[in-house]
């Protein structure tokens, strides 16, 4: 029967150990893979965002350059003054053209993309034109004031763009407009550069909001059409965009960024299918997950091979191990009893020399332990407090017995000798390796909260909390018991003393706890 039970126990140990290892292994694997997937997805979104930032920066530079060139042309004071003179009848139209044309030709050299310049009068009618004329598809005089930045258009098989700026006189009056025709093939190439966006991504350049969105260039998979996703993205476009997920008209989810180009009403939008953006991440995470499962499987197999003989030997030695544990517990208990006996013997040695204070240390230990328990000290702290209380006057072993038992008052010199017992006691105990700060408690049990105590004159929190408890317990026991120089004053006198000195000499919390014990009849003062 014992053999059967041992085999069953061995099987249970192996099964439970394997299950535990599998759960821990899988838990660790998933706890690592899930944050890894999230971080990698966030990194992919940030990379997508960064890529759009680069595109926006390039487009912004091109768009801003068109506006800057228009303003540079209009700011040339010589031809500006000539236009103002023409408007005031001081120069004929032919004279204006003759004077202005060659200077506008020089202005075209500012940019290779500039195809033509047309200067308009106040009535928006052309006065001077160099290079290519403004296509009517972009603007005509009947259209009114020309746009600062027009939409790109395909003219003669080529993408072109119109930019304009008003010509202001010296007094700020509008004298006319300059229209600049630009080659927009570069912008089209930027919008068509979707190699980094996989099979589903595209860059869309347009303007307007959700109600009147306009797309400039043909989209990747068709014409320059506006769908619900584009309208929603244009309506949410901001100067500093963040990735957002939207429903693609054809189904599926897209990661979308829509950002406004500063200084214009243009919007650049980038989109890519969420599954494609994260596809490499998903494949990597699946690979890592499979690898983790394989490793857990190998670990389980190896664990079984190790546990089988190990549990057999373990079952053989279980009885011996139990016996060793019991023997160790008995030895530990014997050591604790020996320590307690030694402490009691030392305390008794002191009390033999001072019969008037016989039992004082034991009673102080009991009172201190009761106060410490009331204050919520742990069992470990209470044990150390009891030990310190039992031998807190061990330093008196070096004081002459006749001085300790004298019924009369001591001289100042004799009292100084008596006060040295706290430091002497700590010195005696400093070589003993207690699991508690017994030496510090003994040294400081005569320290006071206002710094008037001895031997170190410590104040407040500088005094170990257990030493503050011993101080109150020592005073209460001394006042309530007989002394060589007087009869016992009683517990009421002791309470009156510590209450009067609460907060000045004695810790407030300790005094309150002691008073509560007395009021409830739980203070172990003893006989």
């Amino acid at each position: 029967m014992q053999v059967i039970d041992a085999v069953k126990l061995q099987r249970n140990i192996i099964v439970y150990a394997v299950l535990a290892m599998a759960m821990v292994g899988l838990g660790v694997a998933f706890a690592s893979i899930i944050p890894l997937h999230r971080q990698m997805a966030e990194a992919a979104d940030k990379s997508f965002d960064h890529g759009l930032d680069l595109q926006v920066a390039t487009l912004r530079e091109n768009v801003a350059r068109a506006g800057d060139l228009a303003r540079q042309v209009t700011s040339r004071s010589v031809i500006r003054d000539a236009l103002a003179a023409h408007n005031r009848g001081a120069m004929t139209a032919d004279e204006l053209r003759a004077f202005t044309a060659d200077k506008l030709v020089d202005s075209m050299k500012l940019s290779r993309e500039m195809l033509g310049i047309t200067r308009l009068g106040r009535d928006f009618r052309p006065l001077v034109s160099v290079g290519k004329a403004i296509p009517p598809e972009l603007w005509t005089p009947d259209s009114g004031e020309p746009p600062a930045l027009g939409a790109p258009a395909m003219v003669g098989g080529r993408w072109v763009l119109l930019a304009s700026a008003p010509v202001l006189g010296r007094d700020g009056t509008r004298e006319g407009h300059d229209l600049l025709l630009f080659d927009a093939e570069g912008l089209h190439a930027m919008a068509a550069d979707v190699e980094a966006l996989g099979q589903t991504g595209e860059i869309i350049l347009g303007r307007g909001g959700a109600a009147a969105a306009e797309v400039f260039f043909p989209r990747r998979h068709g014409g320059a059409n506006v769908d619900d996703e584009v309208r929603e993205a244009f309506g949410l476009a901001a100067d500093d965009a963040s990735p957002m997920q939207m429903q693609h008209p054809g189904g599926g989810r897209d990661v979308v960024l829509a950002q406004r180009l500063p200084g214009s009403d243009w919007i650049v939008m980038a989109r890519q299918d969420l599954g494609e953006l994260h596809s490499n991440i998903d494949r990597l995470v699946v690979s890592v997950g499979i690898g983790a499962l394989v490793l857990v499987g190998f670990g389980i197999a190896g664990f079984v091979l190790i546990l089988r003989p190990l549990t057999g030997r373990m079952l053989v030695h279980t009885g011996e191990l139990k016996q060793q544990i019991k023997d160790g517990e008995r030895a530990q208990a014997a050591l604790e009893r020996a320590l307690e006996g030694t402490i009691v013997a030392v305390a008794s040695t002191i009390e033999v020399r001072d019969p008037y204070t016989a039992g004082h240390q034991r009673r102080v230990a009991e009172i201190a332990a009761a106060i410490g328990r009331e204050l919520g000290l742990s069992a470990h702290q209470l044990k150390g407090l009891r030990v310190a209380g039992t031998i807190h006057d061990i330093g008196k072993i070096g004081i002459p017995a006749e001085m300790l038992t004298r019924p009369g008052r001591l001289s100042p010199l004799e009292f100084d000798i008596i006060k040295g017992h706290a430091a002497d006691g700590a010195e005696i105990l400093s070589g003993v390796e207690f699991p508690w700060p017994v030496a510090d408690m003994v040294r400081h049990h005569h320290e006071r909260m206002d710094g008037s105590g001895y031997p170190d004159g410590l104040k407040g929190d500088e005094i170990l909390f257990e030493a503050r408890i011993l101080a109150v317990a020592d005073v209460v026991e001394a006042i309530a018991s007989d002394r060589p120089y007087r009869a016992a004053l009683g517990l009421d006198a002791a309470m009156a003393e510590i209450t009067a000195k609460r907060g000045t000499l004695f810790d407030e919390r300790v005094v309150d706890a002691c008073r509560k014990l007395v009021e409830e009849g739980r203070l172990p003062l003893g006989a």
Side-chain angles (χ1 to χ4, degrees):
M1 185 67 180
Q2 292 179 352
V3 175
I4 296 175
D5 289 342
V7 172
K8 183 178 180 181
L9 178 59
Q10 183 184 37
R11 183 175 64 249
N12 290 341
I13 291 173
I14 293 175
V15 169
Y16 291 139
V18 167
L19 289 175
M21 181 179 179
M23 292 177 64
V24 171
L26 293 175
V28 171
F30 283 108
S32 303
I33 290 173
I34 292 173
L36 175 65
H37 183 274
R38 183 171 58 251
Q39 292 174 4
M40 293 179 70
E42 290 175 355
D45 293 343
K46 289 180 180 179
S47 177
F48 184 70
D49 189 10
H50 180 64
L52 178 63
D53 286 342
L54 295 178
Q55 290 279 25
V56 169
T58 305
L59 290 168
R60 180 172 59 240
E61 182 179 349
N62 280 268
V63 172
R65 180 169 172 76
D68 290 341
L69 288 172
R71 286 186 291 273
Q72 287 183 41
V73 173
T74 61
S75 65
R76 296 188 64 178
S77 59
V78 175
I79 55 177
R80 179 192 62 196
D81 293 343
L83 179 59
H86 169 73
N87 289 337
R88 288 162 180 74
M91 182 180 288
T92 65
D94 292 337
E95 290 173 336
L96 177 65
R97 278 191 291 271
F99 182 79
T100 305
D102 58 338
K103 296 175 178 60
L104 292 180
V105 170
D106 289 340
S107 296
M108 288 182 58
K109 298 176 182 178
L110 294 173
S111 172
R112 291 181 300 176
E113 287 81 19
M114 198 183 304
L115 303 178
I117 302 176
T118 298
R119 173 153 288 189
L120 308 179
R122 289 177 176 173
D123 57 358
F124 303 123
R125 298 296 172 181
L127 297 175
V128 186
S129 181
V130 297
K132 291 188 177 182
I134 304 301
E137 295 93 331
L138 299 182
W139 179 84
T140 64
D142 296 333
S143 303
E145 183 174 346
L149 186 65
M154 175 70 73
V155 178
R158 190 176 189 85
W159 288 99
V160 291
L161 170 69
L162 179 67
S164 73
V167 181
L168 301 178
R170 294 181 183 275
D171 58 356
T173 303
R174 184 180 65 83
E175 302 291 349
H177 264 79
D178 279 340
L179 302 183
L180 279 66
L181 184 66
F182 287 96
D183 185 348
E185 287 292 333
L187 288 176
H188 176 249
M190 293 178 198
D193 184 11
V194 293
E195 182 177 353
L197 296 178
Q199 299 298 316
T200 60
E202 61 179 327
I203 297 173
I204 302 170
L205 195 62
R207 65 181 175 186
E214 176 186 1
V215 174
F216 296 153
F217 301 116
R219 296 178 60 180
R220 179 170 186 169
H221 301 296
N225 60 309
V226 177
D227 52 39
D228 292 338
E229 184 181 38
V230 172
R231 292 190 185 92
E232 183 180 0
F234 276 27
L236 297 174
D239 294 336
D240 186 12
S242 298
M244 48 189 172
Q245 293 188 19
M246 292 186 177
Q247 184 70 36
H248 188 71
R253 302 287 292 176
D254 287 339
V255 177
V256 178
L257 279 163
Q259 187 167 343
R260 295 188 177 277
L261 291 179
S264 72
D265 61 349
W266 287 21
I267 297 172
V268 59
M269 168 185 168
R271 55 160 295 276
Q272 187 176 13
D273 182 77
L274 181 64
E276 184 180 25
L277 181 62
H278 294 168
S279 60
N280 291 333
I281 298 171
D282 294 339
R283 284 195 293 269
L284 177 61
V285 169
V286 169
S287 300
V288 172
I290 293 174
L293 292 175
V294 172
L295 288 176
V296 170
F298 278 117
I300 291 174
F303 203 48
V304 171
L305 293 176
I306 293 173
L307 273 181
R308 190 179 296 277
L310 184 62
T311 51
R313 290 193 298 270
M314 181 183 68
L315 291 172
V316 172
H317 296 293
T318 297
E320 298 177 2
L321 180 59
K322 288 182 178 179
Q323 187 61 42
Q324 290 175 3
I325 292 173
K326 290 181 180 179
D327 292 342
E329 291 175 347
R330 283 195 294 268
Q332 178 67 24
L335 286 173
E336 290 184 0
R337 287 194 299 272
L339 175 61
E340 292 174 0
T342 302
I343 292 170
V344 171
V346 171
S348 299
T349 301
I350 300 169
E351 293 175 349
V352 166
R353 300 180 71 250
D354 184 7
Y356 287 98
T357 58
H360 166 71
Q361 294 186 116
R362 175 182 53 78
R363 290 191 293 273
V364 169
E366 293 296 329
I367 294 171
I371 295 173
R373 193 178 302 108
E374 184 68 23
L375 290 169
L377 267 61
S378 67
H380 178 75
Q381 290 175 302
L382 290 174
K383 199 166 188 177
L385 185 60
R386 189 184 296 274
V387 170
T390 304
I391 54 175
H392 72 278
D393 280 338
I394 190 173
K396 289 183 178 180
I397 199 168
I399 299 174
E402 62 273 13
M403 191 180 298
L404 295 174
T405 58
R406 180 181 301 172
R409 289 188 174 277
L410 299 173
S411 68
L413 178 60
E414 290 172 329
F415 186 60
D416 285 341
I417 294 174
I418 292 290
K419 289 198 298 184
H421 79 279
D424 293 340
E427 181 66 26
I428 293 170
L429 298 173
S430 62
V432 183
E433 294 185 3
F434 289 104
W436 318 278
V438 173
D440 287 341
M441 290 186 242
V442 170
R443 182 178 181 88
H444 298 144
H445 75 277
H446 279 291
E447 299 287 357
R448 297 297 181 252
M449 297 296 288
D450 61 359
S452 62
Y454 60 86
D456 300 319
L458 301 182
K459 293 182 179 180
D461 291 340
E462 295 176 350
I463 307 169
L464 189 69
F465 188 56
E466 289 91 330
R468 287 180 252 166
I469 296 175
L470 278 180
V472 171
D474 189 34
V475 169
V476 169
E477 200 287 327
I479 294 176
S481 303
D482 292 328
R483 309 303 290 170
Y485 48 85
R486 60 155 174 79
L489 300 179
L491 193 55
D492 291 341
M495 289 299 101
E497 173 67 14
I498 64 171
T499 301
K501 305 299 173 52
R502 176 182 179 274
T504 55
L505 301 186
F506 306 113
D507 186 284
E508 297 178 352
R509 291 176 294 168
V510 178
V511 171
D512 293 343
C514 184
R515 291 175 59 187
K516 182 179 180 182
L517 291 173
V518 172
E519 291 169 0
E520 297 177 359
R522 295 189 288 120
L523 190 75
L525 187 59

